[in-house]
């Protein structure tokens, strides 16, 4: 289903589900009999879909009225299509819950897009995950120095996704020579491309493999050469250099990374459309807090092979606010170069 079709459907949903003319409505009455759609900002087969699936299967238990839930994939632009839909089209009634694709939060700082992540109504994040550069075992890539010496192709989805933004950042700051191949619609297809030899690796999370390719890590089919994001990474990254240890504090390169890292610090964050009534936002935010604290939910997430390190809505708002305020003109100038597509030679 494309975004135009979704727009028509959203209008009908919104018309039927808005709060009635200012009359107080109990939360149980409001959500009873309704359906909430959890939207995945990518195709199926990857960890983004897995996190959305965990939320879709559990969130109704914590919402008064116990609404039904559905899951819907809306890939495109490295998550930008989903974010644009949520910002401009999605009903402002809590009927659609989106998950931000890391990389899309800071995009409005450096180029014109049809959404502003600061205005989304944040609900919470099940995990803030460390990201890494991974390479296939037959690629010959074992260390960071290897990708500083020769060009290596890696898979990504869209230009604004973390799987392409972070490699471009690393190319610029650490002198690596990754050739980024765009157009893969989801982590599942990227993994397949690695396995088939179309590319040598990708920038992604530990759970991108533990969920979809659970044998790859124990069989050492992929090797991590650089870690980004939270400083308390997954045990699998023990001994792998972290990018902040390679960038001089106070340097322009470090400032550029710190802005980009907001996306990873926020993690797999869920939200509803700007303009959603505060009462509804509060109910959903409360439901996310209860879900994150639920032992059964945690067990399901870990059993699926996903990381579990919840971030509250308040923390998400604070991290985004501080990150945007700390962005200096000099750092943004350099970051814009990373986010600017090179014009093809005619």
């Amino acid at each position: 289903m494309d975004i135009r079709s979704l727009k028509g459907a959203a209008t009908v949903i919104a018309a039927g589900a808005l709060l009635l003319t200012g009359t107080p409505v109990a939360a149980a009455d409001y959500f009873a009999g309704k359906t909430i759609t959890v939207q995945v900002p990518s195709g199926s087969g990857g960890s983004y879909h897995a996190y959305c699936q965990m939320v879709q299967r559990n969130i109704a238990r914590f919402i008064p009225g116990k609404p039904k839930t559905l899951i819907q994939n809306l890939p495109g632009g490295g998550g930008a299509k989903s974010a644009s839909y949520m910002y401009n089209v999605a009903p402002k009634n809590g009927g659609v819950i989106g998950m931000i694709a890391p990389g899309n939060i800071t995009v409005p700082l450096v180029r014109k897009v049809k959404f502003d992540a600061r205005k989304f109504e944040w609900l919470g994040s099940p995990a803030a995950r460390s990201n890494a550069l991974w390479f296939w075992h037959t690629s010959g890539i074992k260390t960071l120095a290897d990708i500083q010496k020769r060009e290596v192709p890696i898979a990504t989805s869209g230009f604004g996704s973390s799987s392409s933004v972070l490699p471009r950042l690393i190319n610029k700051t650490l002198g690596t020579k990754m050739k980024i191949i765009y157009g893969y619609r989801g982590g599942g297809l990227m993994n397949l491309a690695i396995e088939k030899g179309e590319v040598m690796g990708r920038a992604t999370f530990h759970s991108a493999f533990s969920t979809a390719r659970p044998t790859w890590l124990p069989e050492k089919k992929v090797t991590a050469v650089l870690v980004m994001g939270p400083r308390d990474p997954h045990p699998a990254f023990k001994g792998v250099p972290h990018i902040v240890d390679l960038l001089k504090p106070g340097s322009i390169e470090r400032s550029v990374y710190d802005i980009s890292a907001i996306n990873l610090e926020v993690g797999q964050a869920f939200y509803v459309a700007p303009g959603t009534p505060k009462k509804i936002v509060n109910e959903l935010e409360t439901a996310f807090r209860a879900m994150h604290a639920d032992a059964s939910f945690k067990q399901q997430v870990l059993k699926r092979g996903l990381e579990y390190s919840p971030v509250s809505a308040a923390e998400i708002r604070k991290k985004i606010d501080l990150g945007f305020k700390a962005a200096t003109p000099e750092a943004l100038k350099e970051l814009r170069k990373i986010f600017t597509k090179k014009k093809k030679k005619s």
Side-chain angles (χ1 to χ4, degrees):
M1 184 180 291
D2 63 24
I3 197 166
R4 288 172 295 181
S5 299
L6 289 169
K7 187 171 184 177
T11 304
V12 175
I13 294 171
L18 286 173
L19 292 174
L20 300 174
T21 61
T23 304
V25 179
D29 294 334
Y30 176 72
F31 285 107
K34 290 186 171 60
T35 298
I36 292 176
T37 298
V38 178
Q39 190 174 98
V40 189
S42 69
S44 60
S47 61
Y48 288 4
H49 185 94
Y51 274 108
C52 288
Q53 199 172 55
M54 291 293 99
V55 170
Q56 181 257 323
R57 290 176 176 177
N58 286 274
I59 191 62
R61 295 193 286 125
F62 306 96
I63 299 175
K66 302 294 188 296
K68 294 180 180 179
T69 59
L70 300 174
I71 193 166
Q72 174 193 71
N73 294 80
L74 187 61
K81 185 174 183 179
S82 173
S84 180
Y85 168 84
M86 291 298 298
Y87 193 83
N88 298 287
V89 182
K92 305 177 187 302
N93 60 9
V96 183
I97 296 176
M99 186 187 79
I100 199 75
N104 281 282
I105 289 176
T106 52
V107 168
L109 278 170
V110 291
R111 66 188 178 98
K112 189 175 181 180
V113 290
K114 296 180 179 180
F115 60 89
D116 185 341
R118 291 171 294 181
K119 297 180 181 179
F120 287 137
E121 297 288 357
W122 297 100
L123 306 176
S125 170
R129 303 184 286 170
S130 296
N131 196 293
L133 290 177
W134 301 84
F135 291 91
W136 192 238
H137 64 107
T138 61
S139 68
I141 306 299
K142 301 297 181 185
T143 68
L144 180 65
D146 292 330
I147 58 175
Q148 291 172 321
K149 295 174 184 176
R150 64 187 177 99
E151 184 179 84
V152 292
I154 66 168
T156 185
S157 52
F159 192 80
S161 71
S162 61
S163 62
S164 70
V165 171
L166 293 172
R168 293 201 305 273
L169 171 68
I170 295 164
N171 277 348
K172 184 173 182 59
T173 58
L174 296 179
T176 53
K177 299 178 180 180
M178 289 176 282
K179 181 180 180 180
I180 304 168
I181 310 300
Y182 297 96
Y184 292 97
R185 295 171 74 85
L189 292 177
M190 292 186 221
N191 289 342
L192 184 60
I194 294 171
E195 196 170 28
K196 291 168 61 178
E198 292 178 10
V199 294
M200 292 184 179
R202 60 181 290 211
T204 192
F205 309 95
H206 178 273
S207 50
F209 300 128
S210 61
T211 56
R213 294 288 194 277
T215 62
W216 282 15
L217 293 167
E219 293 179 1
K220 301 187 184 304
K221 291 292 182 70
V222 286
T223 299
V225 302
L226 183 70
V227 184
M228 300 152 279
R231 291 308 305 267
D232 52 345
H234 194 281
F237 298 137
K238 184 178 181 180
V240 180
H242 195 289
I243 189 170
V244 297
D245 296 324
L246 304 177
L247 300 175
K248 183 180 178 181
S251 66
I252 191 67
E253 291 81 9
R254 176 61 184 272
S255 297
V256 169
Y257 167 75
D258 287 342
I259 297 170
S260 299
I262 298 171
N263 299 284
L264 298 176
E265 295 291 339
V266 164
Q268 307 308 134
F270 288 79
Y271 62 96
V272 289
T276 300
K278 199 63 181 174
K279 180 181 180 64
I280 297 173
V281 174
N282 290 341
E283 290 293 341
L284 292 174
E285 184 180 337
T286 298
F288 265 78
R289 284 199 302 270
M291 181 178 67
H292 290 164
D294 180 65
S296 172
F297 176 73
K298 179 179 179 180
Q299 184 179 30
Q300 290 176 54
V301 170
L302 296 176
K303 186 176 181 180
R304 187 70 179 269
L306 298 165
E307 291 98 320
Y308 178 79
S309 52
V311 184
S312 70
E315 290 176 300
I316 291 169
R317 291 189 290 267
K318 182 178 179 181
K319 288 176 183 292
I320 293 174
D321 186 53
L322 289 175
F324 272 63
K325 287 180 178 177
T328 65
E330 294 78 14
L332 289 178
K333 181 179 179 181
E334 293 302 312
L335 195 61
R336 286 190 185 100
K337 295 178 183 178
I338 296 171
F339 275 88
T340 300
K341 292 184 179 181
K342 294 182 180 180
K343 295 182 178 180
K344 294 182 179 180
K345 296 181 180 179
S346 57

